[in-house]
Structure formats: C-alpha cells, structure tokens
Amino acid sequence: MILKTLAVLVLAALLEVGGDALVRIGLHTYGYSLAAGAFALFAYGILVNQSGVDFNRLM
C-alpha cells in the first residue's frame, strides 16, 4: 500500500509539473507543447481523482 501511494504521488507530481511546463512553453512557441501540456494536466486530474489515494489526508 505504501509503495502504491508513493508511486501515485511521484507520478502525480511529474504530471503536474511537466504539464505546467509544457503549457508555459506552448504559450510562447508554436507546436504541440500546449496540447501536450493540457493532456498531461488532464491525466493528472484523472490520476488524483481515480487512484483511490486520499490526497486530503496526505497534504
């Protein structure tokens, strides 16, 4: 259980930070960075809400 929670937290952090970075890059350049960032942030939201880990208690 602890390893699953740790893995979900690490993946969520990577998706959130990476999605934010891609959106910022996409706002300044042309290409698929904005769409990739939006997809990463969407995946982050799905992961946080569907993983079964209680993020309120973790924070």
Side-chain angles (χ1 to χ4, degrees):
M1 181 66 178
I2 292 174
L3 288 177
K4 176 189 174 193
T5 303
L6 182 62
V8 168
L9 285 174
V10 168
L11 183 58
L14 290 173
L15 285 171
E16 184 180 8
V17 172
D20 180 52
L22 286 169
V23 167
R24 288 176 185 261
I25 291 168
L27 290 174
H28 295 289
T29 62
Y30 296 106
Y32 296 106
S33 297
L34 188 61
F39 178 77
L41 291 174
F42 180 76
Y44 163 76
I46 296 295
L47 178 70
V48 167
N49 289 306
Q50 299 296 321
S51 67
V53 176
D54 188 11
F55 278 86
N56 291 332
R57 288 186 54 200
L58 291 173
M59 296 300 146

